Amino acid sequence: MEADAVNEGGAMAEERPPRLVDYFVIAGLAADGAPVPEETWVPEPSGPLRPPRPAEPIIDVAVIARALGEEVPQGYTCIQASAGGHPLELSAGLLGGTQPVICYRRGRDKPPLVELGVLYEGKERPKPGFQVLDTTPYSHSANLAPPGPGHPRTYLTYRRAAEGAGLHALGITDLCLVLPSKGEGTPHTYCRLPRNLNPGMWGPAVYLCYKVGLAKANTLVYEAEMLGRYPEADNEAFPLPESVPVFCLPMGATIECWPAHTKYPVPVFSTFVLTGAAGDKVYGAALQFYEAFPRERLSERQARALGLLSAMERGRALEGRAVRSRRAIAVLSRWPAFPAFRAFLTFLYRYSVSGPHRLPLEAHISHFIHNVPFPSPQRPRILVQMSPYDNLLLCQPVSSPLPLSGASFLQLLQSLGPELAVTLLLAVLTEHKLLVHSLRPDLLTSVCEALVSMIFPLHWQCPYIPLCPLVLADVLSAPVPFIVGIHSSYFDLHDPPADVICVDLDTNTLFQAEDKKPLSPRTLPRKPYKVLLATLTNLYQQLDQTYTGPEEEASLEFLLTDYEAVCGRRARLEREVQGAFLRFMACLLKGYRDFLRPLTMAPSEGARDVDNLFFLQGFLKSRERSSHKLYSQLLRTQMFSQFIEECSFGSARHAALEFFDSCVDKVRPEQEKPEPTPLVELEELSGSELTVFITPPEEPPATEGADPSPQYCYDGFPELRAELFESPREQAGALPVPGPSRSAPSSPAPRRTKQEMKVAQRVAQKSAAVPELWARCLLGHCYGLWFLCLPAYVRSAPSRVQALHTAYHVLRQMESHKVVLPDEVCYRVLMQLCSHYGQPVLSVRVMLEMRQAGVVPNTITYGYYNKAVLESKWPTGTPGGRLRWAKLRNVVLGAAQFRQPLRARRQRQQQQAAAQEAGSSQTEPSLERPTPARPLQRQTTWAGRSLRDPASPMGRLVKSGSLGSARGARPTVEAAVAHKLPPDVPPPARRSPMDSLLRPRERPGSTASESSASLGSEWDLSESSVSGLSLRHSSEHLSDTPGSCQPPSLEILLSSCSLCRACDSLVYDEEIMAGWAPDDSNLNTTCPFCSRPFVPLLSVQTFDSRPSAPGPKPAPAGASGSKDAPVPGGPGPVLSDRRLCLALDEPQLCNGHMGGASRRVEGGAWAYLSPLVLRKELESLVENEGSEVLALPELPATHPIIFWNLLWYFQRLRLPSILPCLVLASCDGPPPPPAPSPWLMPDPACVQVRLLWDVLTPDPNSCPPLYVLWRVHSQIPQRVAWPGPVPTSLSLDLLESVLRHVGLSEVHRAVALLLETLGPPPSGLHLQRGIYREILFLTMAAMGKDHMDIGVFDKKYKSAFNKLASSMGKEELRQRRAQMPTPKAINCRKYFGAPLEC
C-alpha cells in the first residue's frame, strides 16, 4: 500500500490537535508507606473456615490403586472426599475395581501444572501439549473408569508450564471433586472439567475441579503512592486524580522475598477507567514490574515476615534470598488507545533496563506527550518511531454515532459465551450487583466496558470500577448496585458477598446465591431474545485466532502493510456483536417515544420526575405479558429514569440518542431474523492514506573533540528529573475535550447531527428518482437555509418577539404547502430561540404545529422544546382578565363576520347598477365617470405590476384577460370602457409611473394556474398571498402621500440562467434544479441538451443610485428616445393601446430609472449551488464563525457564493431576511449615520431585488431571442438593448405567425415553422435557447405573464411534440432542441413558484 509520508512539524503545532497522552505517572512503595491490612482467615457463611491460601503450587498429580495395595507416595496429598464432605469411590465400588484415588504434590522444584483434562481413550486424542497420566507411581494402569465392557478407559491429562517460567507463573493451586447428585456445585473460582470420571452405568457422576492462581509467600503489601509525574502542573481542563497510584497497583505495592536465582517475571499490563462527577471517563494504562529493594530499609520485623531471618537462630540472616519490590508506570488519556499505551510503556521499561543511552528517559516521555496527537481526519494514520527498533501505529477510530469506549465485545463473547452474555445483559438491565474477576487485569476493563456499553442507550448510573484496588474493596459491601472488576487473587483472602453475582472470566462460570438469582432469560421479549442468542452463537463460532499480539512485537513493515487487513476481520466481528446487542435494545424499547409526556404549561415542583415525563403504565401495558416482570424492574431503575430525563431535556449524548431512535425505526421486533441492513455500519477509516511520521527525539549534537559515548545508564526505573524533560513546542493549554459537547442544547446555534445528515442524504437519493419528490426535497432544504439564518434575522430585528412570530407563520406556511422537510432543524431552531428570548408559549405552539404536521420530534428537538418550556419565564398575570378580553375579542370578530355578507350584498347591488348604467351609455361618445363605490381595476400585466392613480377619486381601471378577470367584475366591463375619458372630467394630476407603482398594490383575484403569481422583488406576504404573512417588500413601506415616494438607492438583478459551453445552450433555473445530483458535495448540474455536467453560475448586477457627490439629476422618463413612451404629466394610455400598456410594465420605467440615469453598475458571477450543497457550506460557516457572521456587512465580500445564493433562494420564496440590507451596508456610498445598536440595519426600502429568468448580459455573437425581437418591433423599451445584428429571417411576420398558431392551439405548426425558418444544423441559425423556451418567452412577452397559463401551454407543447415526433422522429427533435423540459424541471418550477421576469 502506498502511503504519503509527511513529517509532523510546525503544521501540527499550529492546529493544536488533541494529545494522545496527558499524564505520565510512576507509582510504587514510598519510604513511609503504611501496610494494608491483610485478612487470612475469613469465616464462610455456612460455618467452616476458609483455610489459608497455599504457599506453593501443584507440580505433580498421580493416581493410586488402593485395591492393588498401593500407598500414597511421600509428599503427596490424597483426595478422599468431595467438596461437600461426601465419601468418594471412583470405580463405583464394583467388584474387580482398582479403587483409584487422585493424589497431588506441591512444590517449586518443577514448573507448576497449569491445566488438567480427562481423556476417554479411543474416542478422542490428547490435546497438543498435554501429557496422559496412564500409569500409577507403581506402574499399574491409572484407569479411573470401572471395569467391564462398554466403559471407555478414562485417564487424566495435564499440561505443565514452560521451563523457566519463574516464581510468578500461574499454576494450579488446588484440586477438588464434586458430586452433582449430592447437590454440590462448582466452587467459586474453580474450573470444572466437562468429562465425568465415572462414565459407567453404576455410581454417581464425579467431576474434577481445579483452581488456577499465583501461589507465593513471604510478601508484604503496602498502599501505593505516587513517586513521580509529568507534567507537574495540572491541566485546567483535566486535573490529575489523586487516586491514580492505587489503580496503577490495584493489589498494592509489595515487597517480596525470592530465591536468589529466580528470574524477573514479565511485566504485567493492566488498564483502568476513572469516572468523573460529570460522567466523563479517563482511561489509564499501567505496566507493573519488579525492581531490587535494599535490605537496609527493612526492619527486623519486616525481615522476619519475609523469611530473611532464621526462625531457629534468632537474628541470623539466611543466604540465597533476594528482596524485590513492585512498581508501576502509567499513562492517562481521554482516549481508550490501550494497544498504543502498552507499546509505549513497554518501550520505556525496556529502555530503563538496557543501556547506556545518549538520551535520558525523560526526553522520550516529554516527546511522546507533547508531540504525538490523537488521529483525526487530517491525520488518519500516525506512525510513531520511538527508536530504530520500536514503532507503534495509531489509526483513526471508526466513525460511529455510538459512544467511544474501551469495550471489547469479542473478549466478552470469548470469555463468557453466548448464553452467559445474555444472562449478564439481563442482570445489568435489572441493576444487580456484578463482580467480574480474572487473573488477567488487562481483560477486566475491556469486559466491564462492554457490559456497560451493551445496554446502550441506557447509561449505568451506579458505582462502576472496572479494576478495583484492594483499598477500595469496601464497595463490595455497598447497599447499591455496582459493576466492579477485581483480580481473582482477592478471593484467596475473602469470600464473595452473598448478594453479589460473581463472573469468572477465566473459567467462564457465573456464581450467585440461590436467593439472589436474577430473572430468567425467559422473561425477555421472546422473539428479540431468540434473534440475539442465535446471532451471538453464530458469531461465537466464527471467532478465530488472528493476530492478537501486542503492537510492540510487530515489525514496521507489518504495521504499514498488513495491520489493517489482518485486524479488519476482528473489527467487523466486533461491530456485529455490538450490533446484535443494539438491535435487542432497540426492540426492547420500541415505541417508547409515543409515551413521552411533553411539558405544555408553566413548570411546577416535580416537573422533572419520571412520572411526569413518561407514561409508565401505558408503556408497560403495550409490552407482551410474559415480559411484564422484566419491564417492571427496568422502569424502576436509575438508568431508565436518567434516560427519560435525557430524552426530555437533552444532554451531551443527544447525537447518540438520536442514532438510537433511527435504529428503533429500523427494527421489527416481530421478526425472527435480524434486518438485512446492519444497524452499526463499519465505515471507512478515512478516504486519505496520509501517514504522519513522528520521529524520535533528537539526540544532542556532539561537540568537537568530545567523546560521543552514551551518558545515561539505569539500574531500574529512575526518579524523574525536571531539568531533563524537553520543553514543549508550544505553550501548554486546555485541550479540547472529546465528545459531542459542542452541540449542547443550551446553544442556539443550528446544527444537524451526523445521523440527520446521513438520513437527509438517503432521502435525497431516493427523491432524485421521483420528479415531484425531488422538487419537494429541494424546497425543504431551502426552508432549512432560511431557518439557519433565523438567529441572525431575529437578533437584528427591531422587535425580536415579532420576528419569532414571523418565523412561526413561516412554519404554518410550510405546513399549508405540504413542504417535506429533510430534518427537524426548522422546528429546533425556533424552539431554541424561543428559549433564548423567553417565549415558552410560542414554543408550545411550535410543538403543536409540529405534531399537526405529522412530525414526531426526535430526541434533540424534544430536548430543546422541554428546555424552552422549563427554563423560560412564563407570563404572569390574572388569567381571568385575559379570558375576558379574549371573549370580548371573539364577540367583536363575530359581529364583523355577520356584517360581511351584508356589505357584500350591498356591493353587488352597486356593481349591478353601475353595469346597467355603463350598458345604457354604450352609444355615447364618451365614458361617464365611474363612482368610487364601483372601482374598475386593471389587472397586473406579465411583469407583475399595475398602474393606479392614487390622486384620482375614480379608483382604478380594470383589464380583464382571457384567462381570468378581476374579482367582482363581469366580462363585459372591458367592452364598456371607451378609448378616452369624457371631456367634462378634469384629468387628475399625474406623476411618474414609478411613483404610482411603489404604492402597496392590491392584487385582484385570478383564475390562472399556480404559475400566475409573480416572483419579482416584491414581498406580498399578506393573508391573501401565497405565504400568508403580514410582511411587505421594502419598497412597499414607503408612504402613500404624494412626493414621499423615492426610487430605491440600490437595485440588484439576479439571474441563474447559465451557459453550457459544451453545446452553447442556455440552461434555465428549473432545468438546473432538475440536473443537480443528490449529493451535498457535487457542484455540477447536467445540461438537458448534451447531458454533460457543468457548474451553473449565478449572475449578479447591482445598480447604485446613491449620490457619491453632487451631480445632475436623473434624466426625465421621456429621455429614452421612444416617442410612444408615456410622459409624466401627460395623458395616460387607455386599455385598447396594448403596446403602451406593456411599456408601462417595463422594469426600466416602473423602477424610475431611464436611460439617462446616473448609476454605478457592478456585476459578477458566482457558482449557483444546490440547496443541499449550500446548506452544508452554510452549516460549516455558522459552526466555524457563529451565526453572527450572517448579519455582518462583510458577508457579501468574505463569502460571496454563500451570500448571493442565499439571497436568490430567499427572494425566490419571498422569505424576509436582512441580506438586502447587507448589500447596501457593504457597498461604497455615503457613510450611514451612527447606529446605537450593532444590529441596526439600513432602511430596507432603499434596496430592490429583482430575479430575472434570462441572462443579464446577452451574447452579441449569438442569435437574439424572439421575445426581444418582438419588443424591438413593437418599440417597447427594454432593460438592455440588443447589441448584435438581427437575422433577416426573424421578421415580424414570423413572430406574428408563431403567436397566431399558439393562440389557435396549433403549437405544432408554430414549432414546425420555427424549425423550418432556422434550418437544419449545422448550416442553419443556432439559437442558444431551445424551441420550447423561445415560444414560451415570446408568448409571455406578447400576452403578459399574468395572462398566460404555463401549465396549459406545457400540455399543448407536449401534444405538439408527440405529433411532430411521429413524422420527424424524437431524436431529430432533440438534436434541434425542440424537446420540452423534463418532468423534474416542470415540478421544480411548480413548487418554487411562478416564472421569473424576462
Side-chain angles (χ1 to χ4, degrees), residues 297 476 579 725 1249:
R297 296 182 58 184
L476 300 180
F725 287 106
V1249 183

Side-chain angles (χ1 to χ4, degrees), residues 141-476:
S141 175
N143 179 26
L144 300 175
H151 299 159
R153 300 176 66 86
T154 304
Y155 298 102
L156 289 181
T157 61
Y158 62 89
R159 184 170 63 89
R160 193 179 300 274
E163 291 291 338
L167 182 67
H168 294 77
L170 292 176
I172 297 177
T173 59
D174 206 352
L175 294 177
C176 72
L177 297 173
V178 295
L179 298 173
S181 61
K182 302 293 185 179
E184 298 178 356
T186 305
H188 184 225
T189 69
Y190 279 69
C191 178
R192 189 175 82 171
L193 298 179
R195 298 289 189 180
N196 182 11
L197 297 182
N198 188 13
M201 300 177 58
W202 309 99
V206 181
Y207 291 92
L208 177 64
C209 302
Y210 64 92
K211 178 180 180 180
V212 177
L214 190 62
K216 58 181 179 179
N218 302 329
T219 302
L220 299 178
V221 183
Y222 296 87
E223 183 176 351
E225 296 185 5
M226 188 177 299
L227 305 182
R229 55 170 288 185
Y230 182 80
E232 290 291 338
D234 280 349
N235 192 333
E236 295 181 0
F238 176 22
L240 181 64
E242 298 179 357
S243 59
V244 168
V246 297
F247 284 92
C248 297
L249 293 170
M251 302 307 293
T254 60
I255 302 176
E256 304 177 14
C257 178
W258 303 349
H261 62 276
T262 304
K263 296 181 180 180
Y264 281 94
V266 177
V268 178
F269 178 74
S270 63
T271 58
F272 55 90
V273 179
L274 305 179
T275 307
D280 53 332
K281 292 182 178 180
V282 176
Y283 298 94
L287 191 70
Q288 305 175 28
F289 53 90
Y290 285 90
E291 290 183 344
F293 190 83
R295 291 193 179 188
E296 294 78 14
R297 296 182 58 184
L298 297 176
S299 63
E300 182 180 353
R301 173 178 173 274
Q302 292 172 335
R304 186 178 295 108
L306 290 175
L308 295 174
L309 299 179
S310 174
M312 303 298 296
E313 301 178 14
R314 184 174 182 181
R316 185 176 70 85
L318 299 178
E319 300 298 332
R321 302 296 179 93
V323 182
R324 304 287 186 262
S325 66
R326 183 161 53 183
R327 305 179 75 179
I329 54 177
V331 292
L332 276 79
S333 172
R334 294 296 182 94
W335 317 94
F338 294 139
F341 300 155
R342 181 172 188 165
F344 175 62
L345 294 176
T346 304
F347 164 74
L348 293 181
Y349 172 74
R350 291 176 178 175
Y351 198 88
S352 66
V353 298
S354 62
H357 310 282
R358 295 199 60 193
L359 283 177
L361 197 62
E362 291 84 348
H364 289 277
I365 296 173
S366 56
H367 176 77
F368 191 87
I369 290 179
H370 294 301
N371 300 325
V372 178
F374 187 76
S376 62
Q378 294 76 22
R379 303 169 181 80
R381 295 161 55 92
I382 299 177
L383 181 63
V384 183
Q385 190 83 13
M386 297 177 291
S387 74
Y389 309 101
D390 298 277
N391 317 280
L392 67 88
L393 180 66
L394 297 170
C395 294
Q396 181 186 357
V398 177
S399 178
S400 173
L402 296 174
L404 185 64
S405 68
S408 175
F409 288 89
L410 285 186
Q411 290 185 346
L412 172 71
L413 189 59
Q414 284 178 331
S415 303
L416 301 177
E419 296 182 358
L420 191 55
V422 175
T423 303
L424 288 185
L425 171 64
L426 181 60
V428 176
L429 287 175
T430 53
E431 286 188 349
H432 278 72
K433 297 180 181 181
L434 287 180
L435 180 59
V436 184
H437 60 90
S438 173
L439 294 171
R440 296 167 289 175
D442 58 331
L443 183 63
L444 291 173
T445 299
S446 58
V447 172
C448 290
E449 283 280 280
L451 287 178
V452 297
S453 298
M454 66 183 180
I455 60 172
F456 175 84
L458 303 181
H459 185 66
W460 184 262
Q461 299 294 314
C462 302
Y464 171 63
I465 310 176
L467 182 59
C468 182
L470 279 179
V471 294
L472 301 179
D474 293 341
V475 72
L476 300 180

Side-chain angles (χ1 to χ4, degrees), residues 8 66 640 700 1252 1278 1300:
E8 185 71 325
R66 288 268 181 99
F640 185 81
L1252 303 183
Q1278 302 191 60
R1300 187 183 311 109

Side-chain angles (χ1 to χ4, degrees), residues 1053-1225:
L1053 302 182
L1054 298 173
S1055 175
S1056 63
C1057 182
S1058 302
L1059 179 66
C1060 174
R1061 299 191 180 276
C1063 60
D1064 194 28
S1065 301
L1066 290 177
V1067 184
Y1068 290 85
D1069 190 61
E1070 61 269 25
E1071 297 170 337
I1072 293 175
M1073 292 183 177
W1076 274 326
D1079 185 4
D1080 57 6
S1081 300
N1082 192 351
L1083 305 184
N1084 292 323
T1085 188
T1086 303
C1087 176
F1089 302 105
C1090 63
S1091 301
R1092 295 182 181 179
F1094 72 99
V1095 178
L1097 299 178
L1098 187 63
S1099 303
V1100 182
Q1101 282 187 359
T1102 58
F1103 299 88
D1104 194 352
S1105 304
R1106 294 176 295 174
S1108 56
K1113 296 182 179 181
S1120 61
S1122 175
K1123 63 180 182 179
D1124 296 324
V1127 180
V1134 293
L1135 297 179
S1136 60
D1137 196 343
R1138 178 168 185 80
R1139 181 176 59 82
L1140 294 185
C1141 291
L1142 293 176
L1144 285 175
D1145 288 329
E1146 277 303 309
Q1148 191 175 13
L1149 287 175
C1150 298
N1151 295 327
H1153 299 297
M1154 304 305 297
S1158 176
R1159 296 191 293 177
R1160 296 188 301 275
V1161 181
E1162 297 180 359
W1166 288 269
Y1168 182 29
L1169 303 183
S1170 162
L1172 281 73
V1173 179
L1174 181 58
R1175 184 168 187 182
K1176 180 181 178 181
E1177 297 297 326
L1178 182 60
E1179 288 174 339
S1180 177
L1181 175 64
V1182 171
E1183 184 174 0
N1184 294 331
E1185 303 184 25
S1187 59
E1188 297 82 2
V1189 70
L1190 300 178
L1192 297 179
E1194 297 83 6
L1195 182 63
T1198 56
H1199 305 282
I1201 298 179
I1202 295 179
F1203 174 81
W1204 292 114
N1205 277 273
L1206 289 177
L1207 182 61
W1208 168 269
Y1209 285 119
F1210 294 169
Q1211 293 291 122
R1212 188 77 197 266
L1213 298 178
R1214 302 180 184 180
L1215 296 173
S1217 71
I1218 60 174
L1219 300 183
C1221 302
L1222 297 183
V1223 183
L1224 189 64

Side-chain angles (χ1 to χ4, degrees), residues 787 805-818 827 845 849 852 1023 1027-1029:
F787 277 92
H805 283 274
T806 299
Y808 170 71
H809 287 296
V810 171
L811 283 180
R812 299 189 61 185
Q813 167 195 344
M814 293 160 51
E815 181 184 353
S816 62
H817 289 176
K818 306 299 181 182
Y827 301 100
R845 295 174 63 186
E849 288 293 332
Q852 288 181 2
E1023 291 296 334
S1027 62
L1029 302 183

Side-chain angles (χ1 to χ4, degrees), residues 769-971:
V770 183
E772 183 177 2
L773 293 182
W774 176 243
R776 296 171 65 182
C777 176
L778 295 179
L779 186 63
H781 280 280
C782 289
Y783 277 103
L785 291 171
W786 187 79
F787 277 92
L788 284 176
C789 302
L790 183 60
Y793 173 73
V794 174
R795 191 181 296 110
S796 59
S799 174
R800 296 174 177 176
V801 176
Q802 184 62 31
L804 291 177
H805 283 274
T806 299
Y808 170 71
H809 287 296
V810 171
L811 283 180
R812 299 189 61 185
Q813 167 195 344
M814 293 160 51
E815 181 184 353
S816 62
H817 289 176
K818 306 299 181 182
V819 176
V820 178
L821 297 175
D823 46 57
E824 302 174 13
V825 172
C826 300
Y827 301 100
R828 190 156 63 237
V829 170
L830 186 52
M831 291 177 181
Q832 286 176 288
L833 293 174
C834 291
S835 174
H836 191 70
Y837 294 107
Q839 296 294 319
V841 178
L842 183 59
S843 184
V844 175
R845 295 174 63 186
V846 172
M847 173 60 73
L848 296 178
E849 288 293 332
M850 188 176 184
R851 295 203 166 186
Q852 288 181 2
V855 180
V856 179
N858 60 17
T859 302
I860 309 174
T861 308
Y862 193 75
Y864 287 144
Y865 164 74
N866 280 325
K867 284 179 69 69
V869 175
L870 185 66
E871 299 177 358
S872 301
K873 184 178 180 181
W874 283 73
T876 58
T878 306
R882 292 198 300 269
L883 291 177
R884 286 191 290 270
W885 278 110
K887 291 180 180 179
L888 179 60
R889 175 178 177 273
N890 294 337
V891 171
V892 173
L893 292 178
Q897 294 291 336
F898 278 111
R899 295 182 60 184
Q900 283 184 0
L902 300 177
R903 188 182 298 109
R905 179 180 178 183
R906 189 182 303 111
Q907 289 179 355
R908 286 196 300 269
Q909 294 176 354
Q910 293 174 354
Q911 292 172 0
Q912 292 176 0
Q916 293 175 1
E917 184 179 357
S920 61
S921 59
Q922 288 181 358
T923 58
E924 298 180 4
S926 62
L927 176 67
E928 295 185 1
R929 176 180 177 180
T931 60
R934 176 65 179 87
L936 299 179
Q937 300 183 14
R938 175 185 180 274
Q939 189 172 354
T940 56
T941 60
W942 67 272
R945 288 166 172 78
S946 60
L947 178 64
R948 180 171 66 91
D949 191 354
S952 174
M954 299 182 301
R956 297 178 295 179
L957 298 178
V958 177
K959 177 186 176 185
S960 176
S962 60
L963 298 180
S965 58
R967 183 183 296 126
R970 294 185 177 183

